[in-house]
Amino acid sequence: MAFPDIQSFMRLLEQRGELVRVTAPVSRELEITEIADRMVKKGGPALLFENVVGSDYPVAIGLLGTKERVALALGVTDLDDLAAKVRNLIDLSGGGSKLGLLSNVTKLRDAMNLPPRRVRNAPVQQVVWRGDEVDLARIPVLKCWPLDGGPFVTLPLVITNDPETGERNMGMYRVQVMSRNTTGMHWQRHKTGTKHLEKAKKLGQRLEVAVAIGGDPALIYAATAPLPPVPGLDEFALAGYLRGQRYPVTRGITVSLDVPANAEFVLEGYVDPAEDWVMEGPFGDHTGFYTLPDLYPRFHVTAVTMREQPVYPATIVGRPPMEDAFLIEASERLFLPAAQLIIPEIVDYHMPPAGVAHNLVFVSIKKSYPGQAYKVANGLFGLGQMMFAKVIVVVDEDVTVTDFGAVWQEVTQKAVPGRDTLTTRGPIDVLDHSSRGWGYGGKLIIDATTKRPEEVGSGASSRDDQAGDLAPETFTPAARTDLPAFDGVLAQRQTADGYWLVALDKTRPGQARDLAAAFAAHPAAQGIRHLLIADDQTDVHNIQDVWWTILNNIDAERDVWVQGGLLAWDGAKKLPEEGFVREWPPKIVMDQAIVDRVDALWHVYGLPEQWR
């Protein structure tokens, strides 16, 4: 089912009881975030705030806040259906015959070269602000978190053309409002927008930019998708393929760019590569930590176009689970067949919310020879944005990768620390605050598959011991309650599957290393394989919170090591005295005054207690 625009999708959600209108006045500064955050974490409906203080336009948020709503938005009954659609495209069942290959070339051409459809009368250009009329403060852009540097557009579809080839790109890069007609443009070093700006600089020209807000949900998803660099495949083509029809676009008013005709708002303008960059941030990011201020290009807005009665769609990112987790899952399903085409032994993979996409990947494989887990993991590191993955855990084909607990049980049962763990280095997401350098750091592979004789040091051969005859090694975990004391340990517990969880108030360099040495030598370490040292704000009784903190706070090569029989993970804060030269960011926490205000006004918003 193709939706003409975001408002038609909202109407369907309301008919299904999955969108609630809030008519009470609300503030775009923090208050909407606190309400929406509670709603998405409890699987509640989307929200339409009709009375936003200081703006004439309503705010819609949480539209893609469940797996089911994302599937509905993309026209499928289940996200696994996305994999089926792509698998049909790349099905090589025709074999190597000329007819079979021609069939696949034709299907790929139809999907990848589905050009947008140009229209003259675009709803998004019903109202136009030009020049001095432009005032971004009139649009209800949210300030999401207390330490944010200002209001940020959180669902922007940023459109540029390659200055040399004219190739189109659309990406979702956060946009901080700086003044009535300027914003920051958060183009990271690996992003296509950065490459376009660098080319414009070499040519000595400005780079035209359009920022669309809205469109139909398939386009919003497409802007987040990690598309491979295939000629003819861009975000408009992907959206067209998902919706089954060419995407409607129109030419901008003050820029020569195609913009989605069915958007709610479009900001038109330019970035001048000769201009000094502006300090952007902080921003409460999808990692659950603040991204600290840094220099980024300035976007000058020359015009704003919109519908006569637009809705401002927004999202929030922060501590998982958040709405972006469901978009990530859609990308998992969509690109699984392509990954399997390149690495055919992959059965399934999953990026759990605790890993905020790039920090943790579970992958199950059909294993047939020793070392295959490392072959697969290294192959994944070479696939597009999977290069940012920090920890990859490889399990056998019968393990359900979406079962978080089951995977970690496999790790303690089948991965011996040191023998079945391997660190390496590579590109890291520039938003990662703990890596050894900006965009560069350590990675960890954990082989939690059933081992072949060669992998355990046996003289036997896999040719003699076939897969069906392999007997998995046994490890008997044991949890104790009489745990040792150590300076700075605020809380600790052991789990029945072999993990020792610690919340550490770190005040001196080397404290985590000393703790690991002391705990590994203690009798309580018997029956434990992993020592997870988290920071002082971590709830050791919440395993998701522990892993989220650990994965954010480690450089795998520096902070994960074998201590006795344990694999120690140092997820505590890193100190300058330890050679960490960058500033350590805070975790995102809402102001208590806002929490109390939302509690007091919950009945005024008209929202049921179950989502409070």
mmCIF file of all heavy atoms in Angstrom, residues 211-253:
data_model
loop_
_atom_site.group_PDB
_atom_site.id
_atom_site.type_symbol
_atom_site.label_atom_id
_atom_site.label_comp_id
_atom_site.label_asym_id
_atom_site.label_seq_id
_atom_site.Cartn_x
_atom_site.Cartn_y
_atom_site.Cartn_z
ATOM 1 N N VAL A 211 16.261 20.636 2.328
ATOM 2 C CA VAL A 211 15.940 19.791 3.475
ATOM 3 C C VAL A 211 14.431 19.595 3.493
ATOM 4 O O VAL A 211 13.681 20.528 3.804
ATOM 5 C CB VAL A 211 16.423 20.414 4.798
ATOM 6 C CG1 VAL A 211 16.029 19.515 5.972
ATOM 7 C CG2 VAL A 211 17.925 20.635 4.771
ATOM 8 N N ALA A 212 13.989 18.404 3.131
ATOM 9 C CA ALA A 212 12.560 18.094 3.146
ATOM 10 C C ALA A 212 12.185 17.525 4.509
ATOM 11 O O ALA A 212 12.937 16.761 5.107
ATOM 12 C CB ALA A 212 12.213 17.104 2.040
ATOM 13 N N ILE A 213 11.012 17.902 4.981
ATOM 14 C CA ILE A 213 10.481 17.394 6.237
ATOM 15 C C ILE A 213 9.117 16.793 5.925
ATOM 16 O O ILE A 213 8.198 17.507 5.515
ATOM 17 C CB ILE A 213 10.358 18.509 7.296
ATOM 18 C CG1 ILE A 213 11.707 19.202 7.496
ATOM 19 C CG2 ILE A 213 9.841 17.942 8.606
ATOM 20 C CD1 ILE A 213 11.630 20.467 8.330
ATOM 21 N N GLY A 214 9.002 15.492 6.077
ATOM 22 C CA GLY A 214 7.768 14.818 5.697
ATOM 23 C C GLY A 214 7.964 14.030 4.416
ATOM 24 O O GLY A 214 9.042 13.517 4.139
ATOM 25 N N GLY A 215 6.919 13.955 3.595
ATOM 26 C CA GLY A 215 6.905 12.993 2.499
ATOM 27 C C GLY A 215 6.163 11.773 2.990
ATOM 28 O O GLY A 215 5.636 11.748 4.107
ATOM 29 N N ASP A 216 6.109 10.711 2.190
ATOM 30 C CA ASP A 216 5.423 9.532 2.698
ATOM 31 C C ASP A 216 6.412 8.689 3.505
ATOM 32 O O ASP A 216 7.627 8.881 3.423
ATOM 33 C CB ASP A 216 4.748 8.746 1.577
ATOM 34 C CG ASP A 216 5.731 8.000 0.696
ATOM 35 O OD1 ASP A 216 6.500 7.198 1.225
ATOM 36 O OD2 ASP A 216 5.712 8.214 -0.515
ATOM 37 N N PRO A 217 5.931 7.775 4.329
ATOM 38 C CA PRO A 217 6.834 7.044 5.223
ATOM 39 C C PRO A 217 7.879 6.211 4.499
ATOM 40 O O PRO A 217 8.954 5.969 5.049
ATOM 41 C CB PRO A 217 5.895 6.182 6.061
ATOM 42 C CG PRO A 217 4.587 6.163 5.352
ATOM 43 C CD PRO A 217 4.504 7.445 4.592
ATOM 44 N N ALA A 218 7.597 5.750 3.286
ATOM 45 C CA ALA A 218 8.602 4.976 2.552
ATOM 46 C C ALA A 218 9.824 5.828 2.240
ATOM 47 O O ALA A 218 10.963 5.341 2.280
ATOM 48 C CB ALA A 218 8.002 4.421 1.258
ATOM 49 N N LEU A 219 9.625 7.110 1.943
ATOM 50 C CA LEU A 219 10.754 7.994 1.657
ATOM 51 C C LEU A 219 11.528 8.310 2.931
ATOM 52 O O LEU A 219 12.760 8.385 2.923
ATOM 53 C CB LEU A 219 10.266 9.281 1.000
ATOM 54 C CG LEU A 219 11.388 10.211 0.512
ATOM 55 C CD1 LEU A 219 12.149 9.559 -0.628
ATOM 56 C CD2 LEU A 219 10.836 11.558 0.070
ATOM 57 N N ILE A 220 10.823 8.516 4.033
ATOM 58 C CA ILE A 220 11.498 8.777 5.311
ATOM 59 C C ILE A 220 12.382 7.587 5.667
ATOM 60 O O ILE A 220 13.539 7.753 6.077
ATOM 61 C CB ILE A 220 10.468 9.064 6.415
ATOM 62 C CG1 ILE A 220 9.751 10.394 6.135
ATOM 63 C CG2 ILE A 220 11.135 9.104 7.785
ATOM 64 C CD1 ILE A 220 8.606 10.683 7.072
ATOM 65 N N TYR A 221 11.853 6.374 5.487
ATOM 66 C CA TYR A 221 12.685 5.202 5.740
ATOM 67 C C TYR A 221 13.876 5.158 4.786
ATOM 68 O O TYR A 221 15.016 4.899 5.194
ATOM 69 C CB TYR A 221 11.880 3.905 5.602
ATOM 70 C CG TYR A 221 12.819 2.730 5.467
ATOM 71 C CD1 TYR A 221 13.557 2.308 6.564
ATOM 72 C CD2 TYR A 221 13.041 2.120 4.228
ATOM 73 C CE1 TYR A 221 14.488 1.289 6.439
ATOM 74 C CE2 TYR A 221 13.968 1.102 4.099
ATOM 75 C CZ TYR A 221 14.688 0.698 5.201
ATOM 76 O OH TYR A 221 15.624 -0.295 5.064
ATOM 77 N N ALA A 222 13.626 5.397 3.502
ATOM 78 C CA ALA A 222 14.687 5.287 2.498
ATOM 79 C C ALA A 222 15.861 6.202 2.819
ATOM 80 O O ALA A 222 17.021 5.856 2.557
ATOM 81 C CB ALA A 222 14.133 5.597 1.108
ATOM 82 N N ALA A 223 15.579 7.367 3.413
ATOM 83 C CA ALA A 223 16.657 8.306 3.752
ATOM 84 C C ALA A 223 17.561 7.757 4.844
ATOM 85 O O ALA A 223 18.698 8.213 4.997
ATOM 86 C CB ALA A 223 16.066 9.644 4.188
ATOM 87 N N THR A 224 17.085 6.771 5.612
ATOM 88 C CA THR A 224 17.896 6.174 6.675
ATOM 89 C C THR A 224 18.603 4.908 6.215
ATOM 90 O O THR A 224 19.489 4.412 6.928
ATOM 91 C CB THR A 224 17.025 5.810 7.894
ATOM 92 O OG1 THR A 224 16.213 4.651 7.592
ATOM 93 C CG2 THR A 224 16.127 6.972 8.299
ATOM 94 N N ALA A 225 18.218 4.371 5.076
ATOM 95 C CA ALA A 225 18.704 3.059 4.647
ATOM 96 C C ALA A 225 20.157 3.139 4.186
ATOM 97 O O ALA A 225 20.547 4.074 3.479
ATOM 98 C CB ALA A 225 17.828 2.517 3.516
ATOM 99 N N PRO A 226 20.981 2.167 4.566
ATOM 100 C CA PRO A 226 22.394 2.141 4.151
ATOM 101 C C PRO A 226 22.537 1.599 2.731
ATOM 102 O O PRO A 226 22.943 0.451 2.515
ATOM 103 C CB PRO A 226 23.038 1.220 5.188
ATOM 104 C CG PRO A 226 21.949 0.270 5.572
ATOM 105 C CD PRO A 226 20.663 1.054 5.490
ATOM 106 N N LEU A 227 22.219 2.421 1.741
ATOM 107 C CA LEU A 227 22.218 1.951 0.361
ATOM 108 C C LEU A 227 23.637 1.662 -0.129
ATOM 109 O O LEU A 227 24.557 2.440 0.123
ATOM 110 C CB LEU A 227 21.578 3.002 -0.556
ATOM 111 C CG LEU A 227 20.092 3.277 -0.356
ATOM 112 C CD1 LEU A 227 19.610 4.294 -1.381
ATOM 113 C CD2 LEU A 227 19.289 1.997 -0.472
ATOM 114 N N PRO A 228 23.810 0.570 -0.857
ATOM 115 C CA PRO A 228 25.124 0.300 -1.457
ATOM 116 C C PRO A 228 25.356 1.239 -2.638
ATOM 117 O O PRO A 228 24.397 1.763 -3.228
ATOM 118 C CB PRO A 228 24.987 -1.153 -1.925
ATOM 119 C CG PRO A 228 23.522 -1.336 -2.175
ATOM 120 C CD PRO A 228 22.828 -0.491 -1.145
ATOM 121 N N PRO A 229 26.619 1.498 -3.002
ATOM 122 C CA PRO A 229 26.917 2.415 -4.106
ATOM 123 C C PRO A 229 26.688 1.779 -5.469
ATOM 124 O O PRO A 229 27.623 1.447 -6.196
ATOM 125 C CB PRO A 229 28.397 2.749 -3.879
ATOM 126 C CG PRO A 229 28.952 1.530 -3.215
ATOM 127 C CD PRO A 229 27.851 0.993 -2.350
ATOM 128 N N VAL A 230 25.417 1.576 -5.804
ATOM 129 C CA VAL A 230 25.046 0.959 -7.076
ATOM 130 C C VAL A 230 24.496 2.048 -8.000
ATOM 131 O O VAL A 230 23.585 2.783 -7.609
ATOM 132 C CB VAL A 230 23.981 -0.136 -6.868
ATOM 133 C CG1 VAL A 230 23.539 -0.719 -8.203
ATOM 134 C CG2 VAL A 230 24.519 -1.225 -5.955
ATOM 135 N N PRO A 231 25.026 2.209 -9.210
ATOM 136 C CA PRO A 231 24.519 3.235 -10.127
ATOM 137 C C PRO A 231 23.019 3.082 -10.356
ATOM 138 O O PRO A 231 22.523 1.986 -10.609
ATOM 139 C CB PRO A 231 25.314 2.982 -11.420
ATOM 140 C CG PRO A 231 26.569 2.301 -10.959
ATOM 141 C CD PRO A 231 26.171 1.458 -9.785
ATOM 142 N N GLY A 232 22.312 4.200 -10.254
ATOM 143 C CA GLY A 232 20.874 4.188 -10.480
ATOM 144 C C GLY A 232 20.051 3.902 -9.251
ATOM 145 O O GLY A 232 18.832 4.059 -9.261
ATOM 146 N N LEU A 233 20.707 3.467 -8.162
ATOM 147 C CA LEU A 233 19.978 3.182 -6.929
ATOM 148 C C LEU A 233 20.174 4.339 -5.958
ATOM 149 O O LEU A 233 21.252 4.523 -5.409
ATOM 150 C CB LEU A 233 20.471 1.876 -6.288
ATOM 151 C CG LEU A 233 19.807 1.493 -4.955
ATOM 152 C CD1 LEU A 233 18.309 1.302 -5.134
ATOM 153 C CD2 LEU A 233 20.446 0.238 -4.375
ATOM 154 N N ASP A 234 19.134 5.146 -5.792
ATOM 155 C CA ASP A 234 19.177 6.211 -4.795
ATOM 156 C C ASP A 234 17.922 6.112 -3.940
ATOM 157 O O ASP A 234 17.107 5.196 -4.087
ATOM 158 C CB ASP A 234 19.340 7.595 -5.432
ATOM 159 C CG ASP A 234 18.149 8.007 -6.301
ATOM 160 O OD1 ASP A 234 17.060 7.381 -6.198
ATOM 161 O OD2 ASP A 234 18.285 8.956 -7.076
ATOM 162 N N GLU A 235 17.775 7.059 -3.019
ATOM 163 C CA GLU A 235 16.684 6.976 -2.049
ATOM 164 C C GLU A 235 15.317 7.124 -2.707
ATOM 165 O O GLU A 235 14.347 6.471 -2.290
ATOM 166 C CB GLU A 235 16.891 8.026 -0.967
ATOM 167 C CG GLU A 235 18.067 7.770 -0.044
ATOM 168 C CD GLU A 235 19.425 8.058 -0.675
ATOM 169 O OE1 GLU A 235 19.465 8.738 -1.726
ATOM 170 O OE2 GLU A 235 20.460 7.600 -0.136
ATOM 171 N N PHE A 236 15.199 7.957 -3.739
ATOM 172 C CA PHE A 236 13.930 8.085 -4.444
ATOM 173 C C PHE A 236 13.584 6.765 -5.156
ATOM 174 O O PHE A 236 12.423 6.363 -5.204
ATOM 175 C CB PHE A 236 13.978 9.227 -5.459
ATOM 176 C CG PHE A 236 13.821 10.594 -4.851
ATOM 177 C CD1 PHE A 236 14.835 11.530 -4.948
ATOM 178 C CD2 PHE A 236 12.659 10.952 -4.181
ATOM 179 C CE1 PHE A 236 14.690 12.798 -4.402
ATOM 180 C CE2 PHE A 236 12.502 12.213 -3.622
ATOM 181 C CZ PHE A 236 13.531 13.139 -3.731
ATOM 182 N N ALA A 237 14.613 6.109 -5.726
ATOM 183 C CA ALA A 237 14.376 4.829 -6.401
ATOM 184 C C ALA A 237 13.948 3.758 -5.399
ATOM 185 O O ALA A 237 13.035 2.969 -5.666
ATOM 186 C CB ALA A 237 15.628 4.394 -7.152
ATOM 187 N N LEU A 238 14.611 3.717 -4.224
ATOM 188 C CA LEU A 238 14.231 2.742 -3.212
ATOM 189 C C LEU A 238 12.807 2.996 -2.733
ATOM 190 O O LEU A 238 12.013 2.057 -2.609
ATOM 191 C CB LEU A 238 15.202 2.804 -2.028
ATOM 192 C CG LEU A 238 14.857 1.893 -0.839
ATOM 193 C CD1 LEU A 238 14.796 0.434 -1.271
ATOM 194 C CD2 LEU A 238 15.866 2.084 0.289
ATOM 195 N N ALA A 239 12.472 4.254 -2.469
ATOM 196 C CA ALA A 239 11.105 4.572 -2.038
ATOM 197 C C ALA A 239 10.105 4.184 -3.123
ATOM 198 O O ALA A 239 9.027 3.660 -2.833
ATOM 199 C CB ALA A 239 10.985 6.057 -1.703
ATOM 200 N N GLY A 240 10.463 4.442 -4.373
ATOM 201 C CA GLY A 240 9.576 4.054 -5.471
ATOM 202 C C GLY A 240 9.376 2.563 -5.544
ATOM 203 O O GLY A 240 8.262 2.075 -5.782
ATOM 204 N N TYR A 241 10.451 1.802 -5.326
ATOM 205 C CA TYR A 241 10.348 0.352 -5.340
ATOM 206 C C TYR A 241 9.476 -0.137 -4.190
ATOM 207 O O TYR A 241 8.605 -1.008 -4.373
ATOM 208 C CB TYR A 241 11.736 -0.273 -5.267
ATOM 209 C CG TYR A 241 11.707 -1.772 -5.096
ATOM 210 C CD1 TYR A 241 11.198 -2.586 -6.107
ATOM 211 C CD2 TYR A 241 12.172 -2.368 -3.931
ATOM 212 C CE1 TYR A 241 11.153 -3.959 -5.950
ATOM 213 C CE2 TYR A 241 12.134 -3.743 -3.771
ATOM 214 C CZ TYR A 241 11.620 -4.535 -4.784
ATOM 215 O OH TYR A 241 11.576 -5.894 -4.633
ATOM 216 N N LEU A 242 9.675 0.421 -3.005
ATOM 217 C CA LEU A 242 8.899 -0.019 -1.845
ATOM 218 C C LEU A 242 7.422 0.309 -1.999
ATOM 219 O O LEU A 242 6.557 -0.448 -1.550
ATOM 220 C CB LEU A 242 9.453 0.635 -0.571
ATOM 221 C CG LEU A 242 10.838 0.163 -0.116
ATOM 222 C CD1 LEU A 242 11.335 1.010 1.040
ATOM 223 C CD2 LEU A 242 10.819 -1.308 0.269
ATOM 224 N N ARG A 243 7.110 1.452 -2.624
ATOM 225 C CA ARG A 243 5.707 1.862 -2.751
ATOM 226 C C ARG A 243 5.089 1.361 -4.062
ATOM 227 O O ARG A 243 3.883 1.515 -4.282
ATOM 228 C CB ARG A 243 5.585 3.382 -2.606
ATOM 229 C CG ARG A 243 6.134 4.181 -3.743
ATOM 230 C CD ARG A 243 6.541 5.606 -3.334
ATOM 231 N NE ARG A 243 5.483 6.366 -2.729
ATOM 232 C CZ ARG A 243 4.647 7.183 -3.379
ATOM 233 N NH1 ARG A 243 4.747 7.281 -4.706
ATOM 234 N NH2 ARG A 243 3.732 7.869 -2.756
ATOM 235 N N GLY A 244 5.922 0.795 -4.959
ATOM 236 C CA GLY A 244 5.402 0.210 -6.184
ATOM 237 C C GLY A 244 5.029 1.212 -7.253
ATOM 238 O O GLY A 244 4.314 0.870 -8.203
ATOM 239 N N GLN A 245 5.541 2.435 -7.156
ATOM 240 C CA GLN A 245 5.254 3.465 -8.161
ATOM 241 C C GLN A 245 6.293 4.570 -8.063
ATOM 242 O O GLN A 245 6.920 4.762 -7.019
ATOM 243 C CB GLN A 245 3.853 4.044 -7.962
ATOM 244 C CG GLN A 245 3.575 4.564 -6.565
ATOM 245 C CD GLN A 245 2.134 4.952 -6.352
ATOM 246 O OE1 GLN A 245 1.794 6.120 -6.348
ATOM 247 N NE2 GLN A 245 1.279 3.946 -6.156
ATOM 248 N N ARG A 246 6.494 5.259 -9.161
ATOM 249 C CA ARG A 246 7.509 6.317 -9.210
ATOM 250 C C ARG A 246 7.184 7.422 -8.210
ATOM 251 O O ARG A 246 6.023 7.764 -8.004
ATOM 252 C CB ARG A 246 7.609 6.873 -10.624
ATOM 253 C CG ARG A 246 8.109 5.858 -11.631
ATOM 254 C CD ARG A 246 7.952 6.373 -13.048
ATOM 255 N NE ARG A 246 8.742 7.574 -13.271
ATOM 256 C CZ ARG A 246 8.665 8.324 -14.377
ATOM 257 N NH1 ARG A 246 7.806 7.986 -15.338
ATOM 258 N NH2 ARG A 246 9.411 9.395 -14.512
ATOM 259 N N TYR A 247 8.244 7.968 -7.621
ATOM 260 C CA TYR A 247 8.049 8.948 -6.553
ATOM 261 C C TYR A 247 7.827 10.340 -7.143
ATOM 262 O O TYR A 247 8.579 10.788 -8.004
ATOM 263 C CB TYR A 247 9.257 8.968 -5.615
ATOM 264 C CG TYR A 247 8.871 9.477 -4.259
ATOM 265 C CD1 TYR A 247 8.445 8.606 -3.271
ATOM 266 C CD2 TYR A 247 8.839 10.835 -3.987
ATOM 267 C CE1 TYR A 247 8.026 9.072 -2.036
ATOM 268 C CE2 TYR A 247 8.435 11.317 -2.770
ATOM 269 C CZ TYR A 247 8.021 10.432 -1.801
ATOM 270 O OH TYR A 247 7.585 10.903 -0.579
ATOM 271 N N PRO A 248 6.801 11.089 -6.659
ATOM 272 C CA PRO A 248 6.535 12.427 -7.200
ATOM 273 C C PRO A 248 7.500 13.473 -6.636
ATOM 274 O O PRO A 248 7.679 13.588 -5.419
ATOM 275 C CB PRO A 248 5.101 12.708 -6.734
ATOM 276 C CG PRO A 248 4.951 11.919 -5.469
ATOM 277 C CD PRO A 248 5.789 10.679 -5.655
ATOM 278 N N VAL A 249 8.148 14.226 -7.519
ATOM 279 C CA VAL A 249 9.058 15.292 -7.110
ATOM 280 C C VAL A 249 8.724 16.556 -7.892
ATOM 281 O O VAL A 249 8.030 16.524 -8.923
ATOM 282 C CB VAL A 249 10.538 14.914 -7.363
ATOM 283 C CG1 VAL A 249 10.924 13.690 -6.552
ATOM 284 C CG2 VAL A 249 10.806 14.686 -8.840
ATOM 285 N N THR A 250 9.228 17.664 -7.394
ATOM 286 C CA THR A 250 9.079 18.932 -8.097
ATOM 287 C C THR A 250 10.376 19.709 -7.961
ATOM 288 O O THR A 250 11.193 19.425 -7.066
ATOM 289 C CB THR A 250 7.900 19.748 -7.546
ATOM 290 O OG1 THR A 250 7.593 20.812 -8.446
ATOM 291 C CG2 THR A 250 8.204 20.319 -6.164
ATOM 292 N N ARG A 251 10.590 20.677 -8.851
ATOM 293 C CA ARG A 251 11.797 21.491 -8.784
ATOM 294 C C ARG A 251 11.652 22.536 -7.693
ATOM 295 O O ARG A 251 10.581 23.094 -7.479
ATOM 296 C CB ARG A 251 12.053 22.172 -10.127
ATOM 297 C CG ARG A 251 13.369 22.941 -10.217
ATOM 298 C CD ARG A 251 14.571 22.008 -10.195
ATOM 299 N NE ARG A 251 14.763 21.321 -11.453
ATOM 300 C CZ ARG A 251 15.778 20.524 -11.726
ATOM 301 N NH1 ARG A 251 16.695 20.303 -10.804
ATOM 302 N NH2 ARG A 251 15.880 19.912 -12.875
ATOM 303 N N GLY A 252 12.738 22.771 -6.945
ATOM 304 C CA GLY A 252 12.709 23.762 -5.890
ATOM 305 C C GLY A 252 12.418 25.166 -6.420
ATOM 306 O O GLY A 252 12.577 25.449 -7.602
ATOM 307 N N ILE A 253 12.027 26.050 -5.527
ATOM 308 C CA ILE A 253 11.721 27.441 -5.883
ATOM 309 C C ILE A 253 12.993 28.251 -6.097
ATOM 310 O O ILE A 253 13.107 29.025 -7.053
ATOM 311 C CB ILE A 253 10.860 28.101 -4.784
ATOM 312 C CG1 ILE A 253 9.532 27.363 -4.611
ATOM 313 C CG2 ILE A 253 10.629 29.581 -5.086
ATOM 314 C CD1 ILE A 253 8.596 27.485 -5.780
#
